[in-house]
Amino acid sequence: MTLEIALVGLAGVLTSAAPILFGVIGETISERAGVTNLSMNGKILLCAMGGFAVALATRSILLGFLAGAAIGGLVALLLAFASITLRQSQVAVGFVLTLLCRDLSYFLGNPVMGTTGPSLSMLSIPFFQDIPVLGLLFFRQDVMTYLSFILVAAAWVFIFRTRPGLMLRGIGERPAAAYVRGANVNRLRYLYTVAGGAIAGLAGPIYSLSVKAGWKGTISGLDGIGWIVLAITIFGGWNPFRAAFGAYLFSLLQWLGLVLQPALPGVPSQVLQVAPFPLMILTLLFVNIGNAEWVERSLSRLPEPVRRRVARALRALKATPPAALGTPFTKE
Amino acid sequence: MQIELRDIRKTFGSVRANAGISLLIPPASIQGILGENGAGKSTLMKILSGFILPDSGDIIMDGSRVVIHSPADAIRRGVGMLHQDPLDFPPLKILDDFILGRRGAVFPDRRKAAREFRQLAAQFDFDLDSEAYVDTLTVGERQQLEILRLLWFGAGVLILDEPTTGISQPQKEKLFATLRKLADQGMTIIFVSHKLEDVELLCSRVAVFRQGELVGSAEPPYETKSLVRMMFSRDLAFTGRTSVPPGGPILSLRGVSLEALRLQIRDVSFEARAGEVIGLAGMEGSGQSVLLSACAGLAQPVSGRVRLGENDVTGLSYHAFMKRGVAYLPAARLEQGLVAGLSLADHFILSEGVGGIFIDRGRAQDLASDRIRTYNIKGAPSHQVESLSGGNQQRMLLALLKESLSLILLEHPTRGLDIESTLYIWSKLRERCAQGAAIVFISADLDEVLQYSDRVLVFFSGRVSPPLPAEGLSVEKLGGLIGGKGWDVLASAAVAHG
Ligand SMILES: Nc1ncnc2c1ncn2[C@@H]1O[C@H](COP(=O)(O)OP(=O)(O)O)[C@@H](O)[C@H]1O
Ligand SMILES: [Mg+2]
């Protein structure tokens, strides 16, 4: 019985990680192309509100999600235009957009605030749902959670195994070299920024139509998540699987905070609420330790076979940002 | 493929990089393009490879006039170019870099590509592991990778811009043999260089550039003197070794062992004394770079001690070495030494720390123009470093060195430079020695090693010779040692001495 409760809780962790995954994968794609989209925090709010309002008005959950993606893509398009075409700072434009989107979501969301609307229902997968343990964990979820699993794998395959994905990495690493190899760098950057924005935009309606159904304005509890998404993208080393690890870790820590609260009455509840953030950062720092120069230096003192094995493990963990991240491209 | 260039013109601001160049390049031959740094060779090649558009002029390929809009357009027409700084992707695996940009199915057949890569590499005797990362390669190996890739992409015209500057003597011979083979198969090869010997050895025809103009051409048998006159329209003076008696030890290594990727160096001991120049000779990747980085605190010895003057600095960081007067000038100029995007003046501000917290623009400007004049750099303080030609970038690196240095470590200090710049750089380095600095440098150019070193350390796949006085060495003997011949004699001689 307690096992079942734990499993249901863990299944909930997977569900609540889904919107973070969409945000992180979207941002990863955009940053792989060399464009940092800092509008994430405001964008999630605006897409959540927009998706909810559309779903409420049309009574169609599907249209709600499409609206979220469309808003996300549109915000990204603004950023792409400002940074690629007008060559303005991505950081500055991103900050302005994030604030603008947040305020817009509160302002425009007033009419639908507090109304109950449609929400995504669970879609159990026949047969699979009856597998012990796994069925409860993985196969009694809603459709967006299933999609989030697929998204992570698909994004990884795309980035690391396909020809366009290889070019995507190329334009973010060394656009001049990618250009020489036939890439229309700026057009591809537009494409991936908007696509990444649309994918990240889906995070909004996943909240407002499923994880935290409804729109409650400033008390929706969504403000701040976008920043976590950006941090996980970086700590995830622009790799979908590592990013997924970060997203699940964060959701797990949040859930543990809730579960442990009754068991630890001495600890102020705020501590447990905030704990996931520093814990998260510590863990991810640890994962990224192979990046540090002093580690490399102390390694060279180890006996060669050991050093080689450790070095290879660290190289696999090592993450470097796309070298051209944030820099505009001109052909000479 | 036959290529004809008609009256190509290109100016950058006030610089006439190409001032009306006409040239006919027949197929199945190796066309040499000779000229000193800044003569406009790279500019013409970038025009032919679609990287930049000419201001005016025509390109005619096999009788029909073409406009080459982009490098991708060029490679579609079969024109592939190897750039001076290889345009590859350092954080990627070699195989990924190899495939990137090649058209085909969404899921590239990696196994097939790897097989074709291995076959191509074997054909050229290039030792590259397709699963290694590009950023672990030397500049020379990155050039090899680019050559293989261009061939694989179907280049019928291969442009090589200063290709021999990155590779060792045997690799160079391998490359030349391959280029000859490709030319025999009907490929058009354009070989850009400022090295007379390479051009004379390889090319079926040479065009000489000077200050953006085509000033002459020649066919074998070449007359070196007349080529030099065309290149420079003046005679050059040599500054050889000066015999300043060496002072006290500046750098000393005792029983240093190092371990690198595919290489182990055992038990190296030597001293560099004030005023002395030590040359490190060997094929690329024989251990010179690792040893040099150990002298800079960038690689840590697994055993042995490193001393700077009186201090034991084993295991300290590069920063600590720098504070003790060590300067390190790596081979990849733009990647490690200079900051692309910053102007010349900015570089002086960074290296000199002009004016505390607030930047004193005026003083920085004065300092920059002063140094630019002293070091004869062709550029203005406001120019960005990446717009400088290779020789000027190297001068810039020298100009950035602090006034008081005890040890200067250089990797290929004159790679890619013409004779005039080389002489100039060495005269400046000699001045440093006269002021009491020691110099340790790596060069693939045996003549340079013999001409400027007081003593030479020879490297052969991780083996390191004791310091050999340069006077007692000849090109033949040094070349033999680099190729692994004559080491037994060396060992017994060392025992007899020791
Ligand atoms: N992108 C550029 N912007 C400004 N000046 C340039 C640029 N490229 C080349 N130049 C200038 O044009 C001249 C010819 O350069 P280049 O063709 O690189 O010479 P080479 O290859 O013969 O050494 C040099 O004076 C160089 O400074
Ligand atoms: Mg050049």
Side-chain angles (χ1 to χ4, degrees):
Chain A
M1 191 58 211
T2 35
L3 173 74
E4 196 157 307
I5 292 173
L7 281 180
V8 170
L10 285 176
V13 168
L14 297 184
T15 315
S16 60
I20 298 178
L21 283 177
F22 274 85
V24 166
I25 298 295
E27 184 69 16
T28 296
I29 289 172
S30 174
E31 293 195 7
R32 276 280 178 189
V35 179
T36 313
N37 190 341
L38 288 183
S39 66
M40 186 66 69
N41 192 52
K43 188 166 66 185
I44 288 180
L45 285 164
L46 189 60
C47 294
M49 186 283 295
F52 178 72
V54 168
L56 191 67
T58 62
R59 293 274 138 204
S60 158
I61 289 196
L62 179 66
L63 285 181
F65 278 106
L66 287 181
I71 296 169
L74 205 67
V75 174
L77 184 66
L78 280 175
L79 176 81
F81 180 70
S83 70
I84 299 170
T85 304
L86 302 181
R87 306 172 63 75
Q88 297 304 304
S89 152
Q90 291 171 8
V91 173
V93 174
F95 269 121
V96 171
L97 281 176
T98 205
L99 295 174
L100 182 72
C101 288
R102 189 184 64 176
D103 291 346
L104 267 182
S105 72
Y106 293 151
F107 171 67
L108 297 177
N110 262 333
V112 292
M113 192 151 96
T115 33
T116 37
S119 76
L120 209 54
S121 49
M122 187 173 82
L123 180 74
S124 304
I125 309 237
F127 179 69
F128 285 100
Q129 62 163 320
D130 300 325
I131 305 176
V133 181
L134 294 185
L136 209 49
L137 260 184
F138 292 109
F139 299 110
R140 296 192 195 175
Q141 299 280 5
D142 61 51
V143 85
M144 291 315 281
T145 310
Y146 297 131
L147 280 182
S148 76
F149 301 151
I150 296 171
L151 178 71
V152 171
W156 185 87
V157 169
F158 179 77
I159 293 173
F160 293 105
R161 282 292 174 265
T162 69
R163 222 177 274 276
L166 199 52
M167 191 55 96
L168 164 64
R169 282 194 278 163
I171 58 174
E173 285 298 343
R174 227 175 147 189
Y179 165 68
V180 167
R181 297 185 192 197
N184 185 333
V185 174
N186 285 340
R187 195 194 303 169
L188 284 177
R189 282 188 166 175
Y190 259 99
L191 174 73
Y192 287 120
T193 308
V194 172
I199 292 172
L202 284 171
I206 297 178
Y207 278 119
S208 61
L209 296 175
S210 163
V211 177
K212 295 183 177 186
W215 177 250
K216 303 185 191 68
T218 48
I219 55 157
S220 298
L222 301 182
D223 195 5
I225 286 177
W227 299 114
I228 292 291
V229 166
L230 291 176
I232 293 177
T233 306
I234 294 168
F235 286 128
W238 300 270
N239 175 323
F241 282 125
R242 287 177 53 157
F245 169 74
Y248 287 125
L249 181 72
F250 178 73
S251 296
L252 182 72
L253 289 171
Q254 270 197 322
W255 176 66
L256 283 180
L258 286 177
V259 175
L260 292 182
Q261 206 164 321
L264 301 168
V267 182
S269 64
Q270 288 88 341
V271 170
L272 286 172
Q273 274 164 22
V274 178
F277 298 84
L279 269 179
M280 173 87 198
I281 288 177
L282 280 180
T283 316
L284 293 167
L285 277 182
F286 187 70
V287 170
N288 283 283
I289 203 159
N291 286 1
E293 192 239 346
W294 60 266
V295 174
E296 226 163 272
R297 225 161 359 104
S298 20
L299 267 186
S300 62
R301 302 261 164 150
L302 293 174
E304 179 60 14
V306 181
R307 190 193 69 85
R308 206 167 286 181
R309 201 160 311 150
V310 177
R312 198 168 303 161
L314 286 179
R315 169 86 208 206
L317 284 179
K318 187 166 172 163
T320 44
L325 189 57
T327 47
F329 169 70
T330 38
K331 339 172 189 167
E332 289 222 291
Chain B
M1 203 179 308
Q2 170 169 297
I3 292 186
E4 191 184 349
L5 301 167
R6 278 195 201 144
D7 199 30
I8 302 283
R9 286 169 195 276
K10 178 78 193 176
T11 54
F12 294 106
S14 60
V15 179
R16 290 196 311 163
N18 284 169
I21 290 190
S22 299
L23 187 61
L24 182 77
I25 305 169
S29 68
I30 305 180
Q31 169 75 53
I33 308 274
L34 188 66
E36 68 172 318
N37 286 119
K41 310 180 295 290
S42 294
T43 302
L44 187 69
M45 294 307 118
K46 283 180 182 171
I47 288 171
L48 185 53
S49 62
F51 212 79
I52 49 184
L53 281 169
D55 297 339
S56 67
D58 292 326
I59 301 172
I60 291 121
M61 292 174 74
D62 278 344
S64 54
R65 186 176 169 277
V66 296
V67 180
I68 301 175
H69 295 282
S70 69
D73 195 16
I75 191 80
R76 267 197 297 280
R77 295 175 190 278
V79 179
M81 169 150 169
L82 176 71
H83 290 258
Q84 243 166 343
D85 278 318
L87 272 177
D88 54 14
F89 300 92
L92 297 194
K93 282 188 177 172
I94 288 184
L95 187 62
D96 287 328
D97 182 276
F98 188 64
I99 296 172
L100 207 160
R102 171 124 170 169
R103 295 169 164 227
V106 170
F107 288 93
D109 185 343
R110 299 170 67 82
R111 214 173 295 159
K112 181 157 165 272
R115 190 163 5 103
E116 291 176 2
F117 175 80
R118 273 197 303 277
Q119 282 165 358
L120 263 176
Q123 189 184 328
F124 288 71
D125 249 344
F126 292 161
D127 177 26
L128 298 171
D129 171 11
S130 61
E131 287 302 305
Y133 289 87
V134 176
D135 56 13
T136 63
L137 301 184
T138 60
V139 178
E141 289 169 325
R142 285 167 60 187
Q143 285 183 332
Q144 294 181 348
L145 171 60
E146 277 290 280
I147 292 175
L148 296 184
R149 187 182 65 80
L150 290 172
L151 292 178
W152 193 53
F153 275 43
V157 179
L158 191 59
I159 304 171
L160 300 103
D161 195 350
E162 312 274 7
T164 60
T165 51
I167 59 182
S168 66
Q169 185 67 26
Q171 280 173 334
K172 180 167 109 179
E173 277 157 24
K174 227 173 289 166
L175 172 68
F176 282 12
T178 314
L179 292 181
R180 288 195 191 100
K181 193 161 78 187
L182 289 170
D184 286 343
Q185 290 166 3
M187 188 123 163
T188 312
I189 312 269
I190 306 179
F191 183 86
V192 178
S193 183
H194 59 267
K195 284 190 189 161
L196 287 161
E197 68 210 68
D198 288 353
V199 170
E200 288 182 7
L201 199 61
L202 181 71
C203 299
S204 14
R205 188 176 319 91
V206 174
V208 184
F209 282 38
R210 190 174 70 228
Q211 293 177 353
E213 287 180 54
L214 182 70
V215 289
S217 57
E219 291 192 7
Y222 298 111
E223 214 191 304
T224 308
K225 256 191 188 159
S226 80
L227 288 179
V228 170
R229 217 169 299 128
M230 280 193 261
M231 271 173 84
F232 300 102
S233 69
R234 66 183 173 279
D235 292 325
L236 294 163
F238 259 150
T239 54
R241 217 170 13 241
T242 50
S243 37
V244 187
I250 291 207
L251 167 79
S252 56
L253 271 63
R254 282 280 155 268
V256 166
S257 296
L258 289 158
E259 283 175 347
L261 204 54
R262 272 177 263 159
L263 195 70
Q264 305 193 345
I265 297 172
R266 291 270 160 261
D267 200 24
V268 180
S269 300
F270 76 95
E271 263 181 8
R273 291 163 295 189
E276 196 177 30
V277 178
I278 305 237
L280 309 184
M283 289 185 209
E284 184 128 341
S286 301
Q288 313 93 296
S289 304
V290 190
L291 187 73
L292 199 71
S293 8
C295 297
L298 286 163
Q300 300 302 324
V302 284
S303 67
R305 314 305 301 172
V306 181
R307 298 172 72 86
L308 282 175
E310 300 293 290
N311 308 313
D312 193 319
V313 291
T314 319
L316 296 189
S317 67
Y318 174 53
H319 188 69
F321 277 63
M322 264 171 53
K323 275 205 302 217
R324 288 175 172 79
V326 177
Y328 172 64
L329 268 57
R333 287 184 275 266
L334 262 183
E335 273 158 47
Q336 293 175 25
L338 300 173
V339 188
L342 290 191
S343 70
L344 305 194
D346 292 338
H347 276 82
F348 288 109
I349 294 171
L350 280 178
S351 75
E352 298 285 326
V354 174
I357 296 177
F358 294 101
I359 296 166
D360 182 345
R361 279 275 156 200
R363 244 198 82 205
Q365 196 78 13
D366 293 345
L367 180 73
S369 356
D370 185 50
R371 293 287 181 85
I372 285 169
R373 212 169 320 112
T374 330
Y375 282 86
N376 210 359
I377 299 166
K378 291 196 186 92
S382 61
H383 284 179
Q384 306 213 328
V385 278
E386 60 267 38
S387 73
L388 295 182
S389 68
N392 284 313
Q393 283 178 9
Q394 196 70 326
R395 286 173 199 226
M396 182 67 193
L397 275 177
L398 280 187
L400 285 171
L401 291 181
K402 295 215 172 56
E403 293 289 344
S404 62
L405 283 174
S406 56
L407 178 62
I408 305 176
L409 307 168
L410 306 126
E411 232 180 339
H412 305 290
T414 64
R415 172 194 278 178
L417 306 194
D418 59 67
I419 299 167
E420 195 203 5
S421 298
T422 302
L423 293 176
Y424 185 81
I425 299 266
W426 273 107
S427 72
K428 282 286 169 197
L429 290 173
R430 274 289 163 198
E431 281 175 22
R432 295 289 187 148
C433 282
Q435 290 160 13
I439 290 179
V440 181
F441 78 103
I442 296 177
S443 176
D445 182 342
L446 300 191
D447 287 321
E448 182 177 34
V449 170
L450 289 175
Q451 194 173 355
Y452 298 106
S453 316
D454 296 305
R455 293 186 295 159
V456 179
L457 263 62
V458 189
F459 290 70
F460 175 68
S461 63
R463 278 173 81 179
V464 186
S465 77
L468 309 166
E471 280 117 35
L473 284 171
S474 61
V475 174
E476 290 72 33
K477 183 159 180 221
L478 188 55
L481 285 173
I482 285 171
K485 282 181 231 148
W487 282 77
D488 25 348
V489 184
L490 204 65
S492 53
V495 169
H497 271 281

